[in-house]
Amino acid sequence: MNHSNESTPLCFSINSPPFNYTHTIASAYFSSVFSALGLTFNLIAFVVLLKSFLRTQSRSRSSFLIFLCGLVFTDFMGLLVTGSIVVSFHFTQFNWRLLDPHCHFCNFMGMSMVFYGLCPLLLGATMAMERFVGINRPFARSTSMMTKSRAVSIVLLVWAGAGCISLLPLVGVGSYHMQIPGSWCFVKISSEASDMAFCLLFSLVGLLSIAVSFLLNTISVVTLVKVCCSQDARQRRRDYEVEMMVQLIWIMMIASICWCPLLVFITKTVFSGSPLRIHYLLLFIRFATWNQILDPWVYILFRRAVLKRLYPRWDWSRGSIRTLYPSFVGTVCRLTRASVGSDPLGGSDGGVSVKEECKPQSFNVAPPSPP
């Protein structure tokens, strides 16, 4: 018995291929099309972000675009690495025990799953922090503004943090194992002390990142609403800040919908001590993978240039947040009138109440000029 355990590599000790699994041509083509579409969308999004980065003159927007470029590059590489392995398995149906007798390949894929899973969540929380500081920067020192080099350093730091977490199973904290149907490797989800510690670390870091994003984005939106409801002539133009917040909110919503089921499932499984339900795990993993497919559409669609084409009759030349989202601002002002209270920029001596700020006529789009 001991000899059998010693001869079986750790990554195959729970599930040892080949499995009794029917490989259909549909699953192979589905994985191929899924990966190809995801890679194409992320590549298009990266080109769009790169063009926007080269054109922008705003320091805060440049920093935000650097974070977005880091996120879309992470999504692209995640699909490229994990997708190529899964697609190769479905077409060739190779035996992991013969191809990878020492678990190096399985550990690499398990690390990739953890690394490329945590990076989007951590980057989403980082962008929420950056926008929280950026939107409230009138109340902070100007020297605290985010520079391009600092933004790049933070992205690299996030990658390093996610990489350190993914390396923990190689030093004895948790372990990577082959998962049914034999096309992928992932962390062992069990109630054993070492595996439980790593599973909780993975899931709680992800859930904490989503919670931080939700909290800071909510505060940032409230701040923007207060500024939108102000008629201070000296206030900054907030068009691009609204654009960035809309993109960030959509990123947060997509990450929450795609990742929360898997993270909650892992936490619930290790605490309950119940056997792993592989069908639920496969379902939630596929849910999480959709995050890498949907993220690029946020950068592609929710841009000012696209909105100009969709709503060409709006008065875009004035550069005003009220003409950018007139109905939205008016609705939010009315809904948040009680919570906003006084003038958010200058106290009670501004001379104009929020109730007066939110009058419908303040948000009417200017009529077109006569021919």
Side-chain angles (χ1 to χ4, degrees):
M1 185 70 179
N2 292 336
H3 177 71
S4 176
N5 289 336
E6 291 177 359
S7 62
T8 301
L10 178 63
C11 63
F12 304 121
S13 60
I14 304 300
N15 299 311
S16 183
F19 303 107
N20 185 18
Y21 174 72
T22 302
H23 300 273
T24 63
I25 192 69
S27 62
Y29 281 109
F30 176 80
S31 301
S32 302
V33 172
F34 191 86
S35 300
L37 288 178
L39 292 173
T40 302
F41 296 156
N42 279 281
L43 186 60
I44 294 173
F46 187 79
V47 173
V48 169
L49 290 173
L50 186 60
K51 289 183 178 180
S52 299
F53 178 78
L54 295 177
R55 293 173 182 173
T56 186
Q57 301 295 329
S58 171
R59 182 183 299 181
S60 62
R61 180 166 169 79
S62 297
S63 301
F64 186 77
L65 290 174
I66 290 175
F67 287 119
L68 286 181
C69 287
L71 181 57
V72 73
F73 178 77
T74 303
D75 288 339
F76 179 87
M77 291 303 300
L79 283 172
L80 181 64
V81 173
T82 59
S84 60
I85 298 175
V86 173
V87 171
S88 300
F89 172 81
H90 281 298
F91 276 103
T92 63
Q93 300 180 22
F94 58 83
N95 190 324
W96 284 77
R97 286 292 298 267
L98 300 178
L99 180 67
D100 185 32
H102 302 293
C103 292
H104 298 315
F105 196 38
C106 185
N107 288 333
F108 170 75
M109 185 174 187
M111 291 168 53
S112 300
M113 295 287 290
V114 172
F115 175 79
Y116 292 114
L118 287 179
C119 276
L121 302 179
L122 292 173
L123 285 173
T126 303
M127 287 189 291
M129 295 178 187
E130 190 274 339
R131 282 293 80 214
F132 174 79
V133 175
I135 290 176
N136 293 276
R137 68 178 180 266
F139 308 103
R141 294 178 303 177
S142 59
T143 56
S144 64
M145 291 184 63
M146 182 74 66
T147 61
K148 296 179 182 179
S149 58
R150 186 179 300 177
V152 173
S153 301
I154 292 177
V155 172
L156 295 177
L157 186 62
V158 169
W159 287 346
C164 291
I165 294 177
S166 67
L167 289 172
L168 288 178
L170 301 185
V171 296
V173 181
S175 57
Y176 293 120
H177 283 261
M178 171 61 56
Q179 305 292 332
I180 297 174
S183 59
W184 61 300
C185 290
F186 193 55
V187 60
K188 180 183 176 183
I189 303 175
S190 72
S191 298
E192 298 179 10
S194 178
D195 296 323
M196 183 179 184
F198 184 74
C199 288
L200 290 178
L201 176 64
F202 173 73
S203 59
L204 292 181
V205 168
L207 291 173
L208 181 62
S209 300
I210 295 175
V212 169
S213 299
F214 180 82
L215 176 62
L216 296 183
N217 288 336
T218 301
I219 298 175
S220 298
V221 168
V222 171
T223 303
L224 278 179
V225 168
K226 292 181 179 181
V227 175
C228 291
C229 293
S230 171
Q231 291 182 340
D232 190 345
R234 296 170 298 176
Q235 73 177 23
R236 301 161 299 159
R237 293 180 177 180
R238 297 254 174 178
D239 296 356
Y240 286 117
E241 291 184 355
V242 172
E243 178 185 346
M244 289 186 285
M245 278 307 307
V246 169
Q247 292 176 345
L248 190 53
I249 289 173
W250 274 104
I251 292 172
M252 178 191 68
M253 292 173 57
I254 292 173
S256 301
I257 295 173
C258 293
W259 276 101
C260 280
L262 176 63
L263 299 175
V264 172
F265 171 76
I266 293 176
T267 305
K268 182 179 178 180
T269 301
V270 297
F271 273 129
S272 64
S274 58
L276 177 65
R277 300 180 180 180
I278 187 62
H279 298 293
Y280 285 106
L281 178 61
L282 288 173
L283 175 63
F284 295 147
I285 282 289
R286 289 165 182 165
F287 243 77
T289 307
W290 273 102
N291 183 45
Q292 299 168 318
I293 306 298
L294 298 177
D295 266 350
W297 288 103
V298 175
Y299 326 133
I300 295 172
L301 295 179
F302 293 96
R303 294 181 297 120
R304 201 165 183 262
V306 175
L307 295 176
K308 283 183 180 181
R309 296 181 181 179
L310 294 177
Y311 303 98
R313 298 185 62 184
W314 285 2
D315 183 17
W316 297 93
S317 61
R318 295 175 58 189
S320 170
I321 205 172
R322 298 173 183 272
T323 60
L324 182 60
Y325 300 99
S327 59
F328 170 77
V329 172
T331 302
V332 173
C333 281
R334 288 191 296 270
L335 292 176
T336 59
R337 183 180 301 161
S339 62
V340 172
S342 60
D343 181 15
L345 292 179
S348 60
D349 57 351
V352 183
S353 66
V354 175
K355 184 175 181 179
E356 294 173 347
E357 308 284 352
C358 298
K359 289 181 180 180
Q361 59 268 26
S362 300
F363 305 100
N364 290 337
V365 181
S369 58

